[in-house]
Amino acid sequence: MAESSVVVAIDGPSGTGKSSTSKAVATRLSLGFLDTGAQYRAMTWWMLANGVDVNDPVAVAAVCDKPLIASGTDPKAPTITVDGADVSGPIRSSEVTAAVSAVSAVPEVRTRITALQRAIAAEEPGGIVVEGRDIGTTVLPAADVKIFLTASPEARAARRSAELRVKAAAEVAATREALVKRDTADSTRAASPLAKADDAVEVDTTELTLAQVVECVVTLVEERKRRER
């Protein structure tokens, strides 16, 4: 990676604004962007499409090297393909959402996807913003800037429900329950659990607008660049 480039790791649970923040920061700073969660979703989609029992770690591990997953890093138009086919829509289905934690917990899956993520980051000439759950701790522990986004379960459920255009109180409550359940699964898995890196800056987005979060992260990145000059 070029000497003047910068690598930004943004971690945190679902609904904290990781994707929106990461894309906006990458656009502002003319950096690449990588949604690592989309890669795990792509792997999960492939497993489901090919009849693999996603709750059988041995079965998942045996075939996780088969799908060819490719990610485009343009923050204004990120792409995700499996074996050359665009899966940006299918990977957001409820079926994939329900299965992705189980698939992403398989060590062999994480090893494969982590290697892919590191390769993409290394090949981005001007630097990159990488968002996920274990970027600062496992994937890119030497990242120049590490951010860990948090938010209350209520705020996260409200945001996710808005994305899904859910309005009924019962459905919002179900969304909150699903988010908390996934947090538990991701935080307690043996392989690269969701965790805040010791040197990451924690940003609570509960009461912040997207613009405020973006400004906070951009400021941290620019401060790091100034120190490096």
Side-chain angles (χ1 to χ4, degrees), residues 4 7 23 34 37 48 57 78 93 96 116 129 187 201 225:
S4 60
V7 175
K23 283 187 278 191
L34 178 62
L48 293 168
S93 70
V96 170
L116 174 62
V129 179
S187 300
V201 176
K225 283 185 171 182

Side-chain angles (χ1 to χ4, degrees), residues 79-91:
T79 59
I80 181 79
T81 63
V82 176
D83 299 329
D86 176 16
V87 294
S88 56
I91 65 171

Side-chain angles (χ1 to χ4, degrees), residues 73-162:
T73 58
D74 180 352
K76 296 179 182 178
T79 59
I80 181 79
T81 63
V82 176
D83 299 329
D86 176 16
V87 294
S88 56
I91 65 171
R92 302 298 172 182
S93 70
S94 58
E95 187 179 17
V96 170
T97 297
V100 68
S101 284
V103 172
S104 62
V106 176
E108 290 83 356
V109 170
R110 300 206 73 81
T111 296
R112 167 132 193 258
I113 298 296
T114 294
L116 174 62
Q117 293 162 358
R118 288 173 176 164
I120 292 171
E123 292 166 4
E124 196 68 27
I128 192 168
V129 179
V130 183
E131 64 108 329
R133 286 171 168 75
D134 65 341
I135 311 306
T137 54
T138 301
V139 180
L140 299 169
D144 300 296
V145 179
K146 299 179 185 178
I147 310 292
F148 191 85
L149 299 184
T150 63
S152 70
E154 291 73 22
R156 291 164 53 211
R159 291 168 185 167
R160 183 52 50 87
S161 295

